[in-house]
Short mmCIF file of all heavy atoms in Angstrom, two decimals:
data_model
loop_
_atom_site.label_atom_id
_atom_site.label_comp_id
_atom_site.label_asym_id
_atom_site.label_seq_id
_atom_site.Cartn_x
_atom_site.Cartn_y
_atom_site.Cartn_z
N SER Z 549 -44.13 -9.67 -8.14
CA SER Z 549 -43.72 -8.98 -9.38
C SER Z 549 -44.89 -8.16 -9.92
O SER Z 549 -45.34 -8.35 -11.04
CB SER Z 549 -43.26 -10.00 -10.43
OG SER Z 549 -44.25 -10.99 -10.66
N PHE Z 550 -45.40 -7.27 -9.07
CA PHE Z 550 -46.48 -6.38 -9.49
C PHE Z 550 -45.97 -5.41 -10.56
O PHE Z 550 -44.88 -4.85 -10.44
CB PHE Z 550 -47.00 -5.57 -8.30
CG PHE Z 550 -47.95 -6.33 -7.42
CD1 PHE Z 550 -47.49 -7.11 -6.37
CD2 PHE Z 550 -49.31 -6.27 -7.65
CE1 PHE Z 550 -48.36 -7.80 -5.55
CE2 PHE Z 550 -50.21 -6.96 -6.84
CZ PHE Z 550 -49.72 -7.74 -5.79
N GLN Z 551 -46.77 -5.20 -11.59
CA GLN Z 551 -46.42 -4.24 -12.63
C GLN Z 551 -46.66 -2.82 -12.12
O GLN Z 551 -47.53 -2.58 -11.29
CB GLN Z 551 -47.26 -4.51 -13.88
CG GLN Z 551 -46.98 -5.86 -14.52
CD GLN Z 551 -47.91 -6.15 -15.67
OE1 GLN Z 551 -48.85 -5.41 -15.93
NE2 GLN Z 551 -47.67 -7.25 -16.38
N ASP Z 552 -45.88 -1.88 -12.65
CA ASP Z 552 -45.96 -0.50 -12.18
C ASP Z 552 -47.33 0.12 -12.44
O ASP Z 552 -47.75 1.03 -11.72
CB ASP Z 552 -44.87 0.35 -12.84
CG ASP Z 552 -43.48 -0.03 -12.37
OD1 ASP Z 552 -43.37 -0.63 -11.28
OD2 ASP Z 552 -42.51 0.27 -13.09
N ASP Z 553 -48.02 -0.34 -13.49
CA ASP Z 553 -49.30 0.28 -13.85
C ASP Z 553 -50.50 -0.50 -13.33
O ASP Z 553 -51.62 -0.29 -13.79
CB ASP Z 553 -49.40 0.41 -15.37
CG ASP Z 553 -49.35 -0.95 -16.08
OD1 ASP Z 553 -49.07 -1.97 -15.40
OD2 ASP Z 553 -49.58 -0.98 -17.30
N VAL Z 554 -50.30 -1.37 -12.35
CA VAL Z 554 -51.37 -2.25 -11.89
C VAL Z 554 -52.56 -1.46 -11.32
O VAL Z 554 -53.70 -1.91 -11.40
CB VAL Z 554 -50.84 -3.26 -10.85
CG1 VAL Z 554 -50.35 -2.57 -9.59
CG2 VAL Z 554 -51.90 -4.30 -10.51
N PHE Z 555 -52.31 -0.26 -10.78
CA PHE Z 555 -53.39 0.53 -10.19
C PHE Z 555 -53.76 1.75 -11.03
O PHE Z 555 -54.51 2.62 -10.55
CB PHE Z 555 -53.01 0.96 -8.78
CG PHE Z 555 -52.72 -0.20 -7.86
CD1 PHE Z 555 -51.45 -0.35 -7.30
CD2 PHE Z 555 -53.69 -1.13 -7.56
CE1 PHE Z 555 -51.17 -1.41 -6.47
CE2 PHE Z 555 -53.42 -2.20 -6.72
CZ PHE Z 555 -52.15 -2.35 -6.18
N ASP Z 556 -53.27 1.84 -12.25
CA ASP Z 556 -53.55 3.01 -13.08
C ASP Z 556 -55.04 3.17 -13.37
O ASP Z 556 -55.58 4.29 -13.36
CB ASP Z 556 -52.76 2.93 -14.38
CG ASP Z 556 -51.31 3.35 -14.21
OD1 ASP Z 556 -50.91 3.63 -13.06
OD2 ASP Z 556 -50.57 3.40 -15.21
N GLU Z 557 -55.72 2.07 -13.66
CA GLU Z 557 -57.15 2.16 -13.95
C GLU Z 557 -57.91 2.68 -12.73
O GLU Z 557 -58.86 3.46 -12.86
CB GLU Z 557 -57.69 0.78 -14.37
CG GLU Z 557 -59.15 0.82 -14.81
CD GLU Z 557 -59.66 -0.52 -15.32
OE1 GLU Z 557 -58.84 -1.42 -15.56
OE2 GLU Z 557 -60.88 -0.66 -15.47
N GLN Z 558 -57.49 2.25 -11.54
CA GLN Z 558 -58.11 2.73 -10.31
C GLN Z 558 -57.89 4.23 -10.15
O GLN Z 558 -58.82 4.98 -9.83
CB GLN Z 558 -57.52 1.98 -9.10
CG GLN Z 558 -57.94 2.52 -7.75
CD GLN Z 558 -59.40 2.30 -7.46
OE1 GLN Z 558 -59.94 1.24 -7.75
NE2 GLN Z 558 -60.06 3.30 -6.88
N ILE Z 559 -56.66 4.69 -10.35
CA ILE Z 559 -56.33 6.11 -10.19
C ILE Z 559 -57.13 6.95 -11.18
O ILE Z 559 -57.69 8.01 -10.83
CB ILE Z 559 -54.82 6.34 -10.38
CG1 ILE Z 559 -54.02 5.73 -9.22
CG2 ILE Z 559 -54.51 7.82 -10.52
CD1 ILE Z 559 -54.18 6.46 -7.91
N ASP Z 560 -57.21 6.51 -12.42
CA ASP Z 560 -57.91 7.29 -13.44
C ASP Z 560 -59.42 7.34 -13.18
O ASP Z 560 -60.09 8.31 -13.55
CB ASP Z 560 -57.64 6.72 -14.83
CG ASP Z 560 -56.20 6.94 -15.27
OD1 ASP Z 560 -55.53 7.80 -14.66
OD2 ASP Z 560 -55.75 6.25 -16.20
N PHE Z 561 -59.98 6.30 -12.56
CA PHE Z 561 -61.40 6.33 -12.20
C PHE Z 561 -61.63 7.23 -11.00
O PHE Z 561 -62.55 8.05 -10.99
CB PHE Z 561 -61.89 4.92 -11.89
CG PHE Z 561 -63.23 4.88 -11.20
CD1 PHE Z 561 -64.37 5.30 -11.85
CD2 PHE Z 561 -63.34 4.44 -9.87
CE1 PHE Z 561 -65.61 5.28 -11.21
CE2 PHE Z 561 -64.56 4.42 -9.23
CZ PHE Z 561 -65.71 4.84 -9.90
N ARG Z 562 -60.79 7.09 -10.00
CA ARG Z 562 -60.97 7.88 -8.76
C ARG Z 562 -60.67 9.35 -8.99
O ARG Z 562 -61.31 10.22 -8.39
CB ARG Z 562 -60.05 7.31 -7.67
CG ARG Z 562 -60.13 8.03 -6.32
CD ARG Z 562 -61.48 7.87 -5.70
NE ARG Z 562 -61.56 8.55 -4.41
CZ ARG Z 562 -61.85 9.83 -4.23
NH1 ARG Z 562 -62.06 10.60 -5.29
NH2 ARG Z 562 -61.91 10.36 -3.02
N PHE Z 563 -59.72 9.66 -9.89
CA PHE Z 563 -59.31 11.05 -10.15
C PHE Z 563 -59.36 11.31 -11.65
O PHE Z 563 -58.33 11.40 -12.32
CB PHE Z 563 -57.90 11.30 -9.62
CG PHE Z 563 -57.71 10.83 -8.20
CD1 PHE Z 563 -56.98 9.69 -7.93
CD2 PHE Z 563 -58.26 11.53 -7.14
CE1 PHE Z 563 -56.80 9.24 -6.63
CE2 PHE Z 563 -58.09 11.10 -5.83
CZ PHE Z 563 -57.36 9.95 -5.58
N PRO Z 564 -60.55 11.42 -12.22
CA PRO Z 564 -60.66 11.54 -13.68
C PRO Z 564 -60.03 12.84 -14.21
O PRO Z 564 -60.01 13.87 -13.53
CB PRO Z 564 -62.17 11.52 -13.92
CG PRO Z 564 -62.78 11.87 -12.62
CD PRO Z 564 -61.86 11.40 -11.56
N PHE Z 565 -59.54 12.75 -15.45
CA PHE Z 565 -58.97 13.91 -16.13
C PHE Z 565 -60.07 14.90 -16.48
O PHE Z 565 -61.18 14.53 -16.85
CB PHE Z 565 -58.26 13.49 -17.42
CG PHE Z 565 -57.03 12.65 -17.21
CD1 PHE Z 565 -57.05 11.29 -17.48
CD2 PHE Z 565 -55.86 13.22 -16.74
CE1 PHE Z 565 -55.92 10.52 -17.29
CE2 PHE Z 565 -54.73 12.46 -16.55
CZ PHE Z 565 -54.75 11.11 -16.82
N ILE Z 566 -59.74 16.19 -16.39
CA ILE Z 566 -60.61 17.25 -16.88
C ILE Z 566 -60.10 17.74 -18.23
O ILE Z 566 -60.86 17.86 -19.18
CB ILE Z 566 -60.68 18.40 -15.86
CG1 ILE Z 566 -61.34 17.90 -14.57
CG2 ILE Z 566 -61.46 19.59 -16.44
CD1 ILE Z 566 -61.28 18.89 -13.43
N THR Z 567 -58.80 18.00 -18.32
CA THR Z 567 -58.20 18.38 -19.59
C THR Z 567 -56.69 18.17 -19.53
O THR Z 567 -56.09 18.19 -18.45
CB THR Z 567 -58.50 19.86 -19.93
OG1 THR Z 567 -57.99 20.16 -21.22
CG2 THR Z 567 -57.89 20.80 -18.92
N GLN Z 568 -56.11 17.96 -20.71
CA GLN Z 568 -54.66 17.88 -20.88
C GLN Z 568 -54.28 18.72 -22.10
O GLN Z 568 -54.97 18.66 -23.13
CB GLN Z 568 -54.19 16.43 -21.06
CG GLN Z 568 -54.35 15.57 -19.82
CD GLN Z 568 -53.90 14.13 -20.04
OE1 GLN Z 568 -54.45 13.42 -20.87
NE2 GLN Z 568 -52.89 13.71 -19.29
N PHE Z 569 -53.20 19.48 -22.00
CA PHE Z 569 -52.79 20.32 -23.12
C PHE Z 569 -51.30 20.61 -23.00
O PHE Z 569 -50.66 20.34 -21.97
CB PHE Z 569 -53.59 21.63 -23.14
CG PHE Z 569 -53.50 22.43 -21.87
CD1 PHE Z 569 -52.53 23.42 -21.71
CD2 PHE Z 569 -54.39 22.20 -20.82
CE1 PHE Z 569 -52.45 24.16 -20.54
CE2 PHE Z 569 -54.31 22.94 -19.64
CZ PHE Z 569 -53.33 23.92 -19.51
N THR Z 570 -50.73 21.14 -24.08
CA THR Z 570 -49.30 21.46 -24.14
C THR Z 570 -49.12 22.92 -24.49
O THR Z 570 -49.82 23.46 -25.37
CB THR Z 570 -48.60 20.58 -25.19
OG1 THR Z 570 -48.75 19.21 -24.82
CG2 THR Z 570 -47.11 20.92 -25.27
N THR Z 571 -48.18 23.58 -23.81
CA THR Z 571 -47.84 24.97 -24.13
C THR Z 571 -46.40 25.02 -24.63
O THR Z 571 -45.46 24.85 -23.84
CB THR Z 571 -47.99 25.88 -22.90
OG1 THR Z 571 -47.26 25.34 -21.81
CG2 THR Z 571 -49.46 26.01 -22.51
N PRO Z 572 -46.19 25.19 -25.93
CA PRO Z 572 -44.83 25.31 -26.46
C PRO Z 572 -44.30 26.72 -26.28
O PRO Z 572 -44.94 27.70 -26.66
CB PRO Z 572 -45.01 24.96 -27.94
CG PRO Z 572 -46.42 25.34 -28.26
CD PRO Z 572 -47.21 25.19 -26.98
N ILE Z 573 -43.15 26.84 -25.64
CA ILE Z 573 -42.48 28.13 -25.48
C ILE Z 573 -41.05 27.97 -26.00
O ILE Z 573 -40.21 27.32 -25.37
CB ILE Z 573 -42.46 28.57 -24.01
CG1 ILE Z 573 -43.88 28.78 -23.49
CG2 ILE Z 573 -41.65 29.85 -23.84
CD1 ILE Z 573 -44.60 29.95 -24.11
N GLY Z 574 -40.78 28.54 -27.15
CA GLY Z 574 -39.46 28.39 -27.75
C GLY Z 574 -39.18 26.93 -28.01
O GLY Z 574 -39.95 26.22 -28.67
N SER Z 575 -38.06 26.47 -27.48
CA SER Z 575 -37.69 25.06 -27.66
C SER Z 575 -38.22 24.19 -26.53
O SER Z 575 -37.98 22.98 -26.50
CB SER Z 575 -36.16 24.93 -27.72
OG SER Z 575 -35.58 25.41 -26.51
N SER Z 576 -38.94 24.77 -25.58
CA SER Z 576 -39.44 24.02 -24.42
C SER Z 576 -40.94 23.79 -24.54
O SER Z 576 -41.69 24.70 -24.91
CB SER Z 576 -39.14 24.79 -23.12
OG SER Z 576 -37.75 24.99 -22.96
N ASN Z 577 -41.34 22.58 -24.23
CA ASN Z 577 -42.76 22.25 -24.16
C ASN Z 577 -43.09 21.88 -22.71
O ASN Z 577 -42.34 21.16 -22.05
CB ASN Z 577 -43.09 21.05 -25.05
CG ASN Z 577 -43.14 21.44 -26.51
OD1 ASN Z 577 -43.21 22.62 -26.83
ND2 ASN Z 577 -43.08 20.45 -27.39
N VAL Z 578 -44.22 22.36 -22.25
CA VAL Z 578 -44.71 21.98 -20.93
C VAL Z 578 -46.07 21.31 -21.13
O VAL Z 578 -46.96 21.88 -21.78
CB VAL Z 578 -44.84 23.19 -20.00
CG1 VAL Z 578 -45.44 22.76 -18.65
CG2 VAL Z 578 -43.49 23.86 -19.79
N ASN Z 579 -46.19 20.11 -20.60
CA ASN Z 579 -47.45 19.37 -20.67
C ASN Z 579 -48.22 19.57 -19.38
O ASN Z 579 -47.70 19.34 -18.28
CB ASN Z 579 -47.18 17.88 -20.90
CG ASN Z 579 -46.46 17.63 -22.21
OD1 ASN Z 579 -46.84 18.17 -23.25
ND2 ASN Z 579 -45.41 16.81 -22.17
N TRP Z 580 -49.48 19.98 -19.51
CA TRP Z 580 -50.32 20.30 -18.37
C TRP Z 580 -51.45 19.28 -18.23
O TRP Z 580 -52.01 18.82 -19.22
CB TRP Z 580 -50.93 21.69 -18.52
CG TRP Z 580 -49.93 22.79 -18.64
CD1 TRP Z 580 -49.27 23.20 -19.77
CD2 TRP Z 580 -49.46 23.63 -17.58
NE1 TRP Z 580 -48.42 24.24 -19.49
CE2 TRP Z 580 -48.52 24.54 -18.14
CE3 TRP Z 580 -49.74 23.73 -16.22
CZ2 TRP Z 580 -47.88 25.50 -17.39
CZ3 TRP Z 580 -49.10 24.70 -15.47
CH2 TRP Z 580 -48.18 25.57 -16.04
N THR Z 581 -51.79 18.98 -16.98
CA THR Z 581 -52.92 18.09 -16.71
C THR Z 581 -53.73 18.66 -15.56
O THR Z 581 -53.19 18.99 -14.50
CB THR Z 581 -52.44 16.68 -16.31
OG1 THR Z 581 -51.69 16.11 -17.38
CG2 THR Z 581 -53.63 15.78 -16.00
N LEU Z 582 -55.03 18.81 -15.79
CA LEU Z 582 -55.96 19.20 -14.74
C LEU Z 582 -56.88 18.00 -14.48
O LEU Z 582 -57.51 17.49 -15.41
CB LEU Z 582 -56.78 20.42 -15.15
CG LEU Z 582 -57.76 20.95 -14.08
CD1 LEU Z 582 -56.99 21.59 -12.93
CD2 LEU Z 582 -58.75 21.95 -14.69
#
Side-chain angles (χ1 to χ4, degrees):
S549 54
F550 280 88
Q551 296 174 353
D552 291 339
D553 61 351
V554 65
F555 301 118
D556 280 4
E557 185 176 347
Q558 172 68 41
I559 291 289
D560 291 343
F561 166 66
R562 180 65 180 85
F563 311 106
F565 293 106
I566 296 171
T567 184
Q568 292 179 299
F569 57 92
T570 300
T571 52
I573 297 292
S575 60
S576 300
N577 284 344
V578 177
N579 298 314
W580 300 83
T581 299
L582 182 70

